[in-house]
Amino acid sequence: EDISALAQINIAAVEKLLDRISFFCSEPKSFEELLHDLFTDYGMTMSIQQYALIGSTVRSCLSGLLTKGQIKYICEDGYVKWQKL
């Protein structure tokens, strides 16, 4: 079966998530602050299971954005914060 339409939907969803992460990182944000902003933006209620699952996805996105040179991390007051370049 042809899954290209489904693949395009998934690609669009990831691109939207990357855009939202970049938007929220306009000012330095800790991972928890960023995750809170994303849950609020998507109208989700956080459970420990969602924290683990969505958190893993967001960490992967942060890693990708860092590798592409679109965000940076800074250490501030003992916390890692993420900021858009």
Side-chain angles (χ1 to χ4, degrees), residues 1-62:
E1 304 259 344
D2 182 15
I3 63 165
S4 60
L6 179 58
Q8 289 303 314
I9 291 169
N10 285 328
I11 290 168
V14 170
E15 289 174 352
K16 180 181 177 185
L17 178 58
L18 292 171
D19 287 343
R20 297 310 292 158
I21 290 171
S22 291
F23 172 78
F24 287 126
C25 288
S26 295
E27 296 182 11
K29 296 269 179 162
S30 70
F31 174 76
E32 283 75 18
E33 291 169 326
L34 175 59
L35 197 59
H36 176 267
D37 288 347
L38 289 166
F39 268 82
T40 301
D41 192 53
Y42 281 91
M44 298 172 65
T45 302
M46 191 180 308
S47 68
I48 194 64
Q49 294 85 359
Q50 288 175 322
Y51 176 86
L53 182 62
I54 305 295
S56 177
T57 300
V58 172
R59 284 183 180 93
S60 294
C61 290
L62 288 169

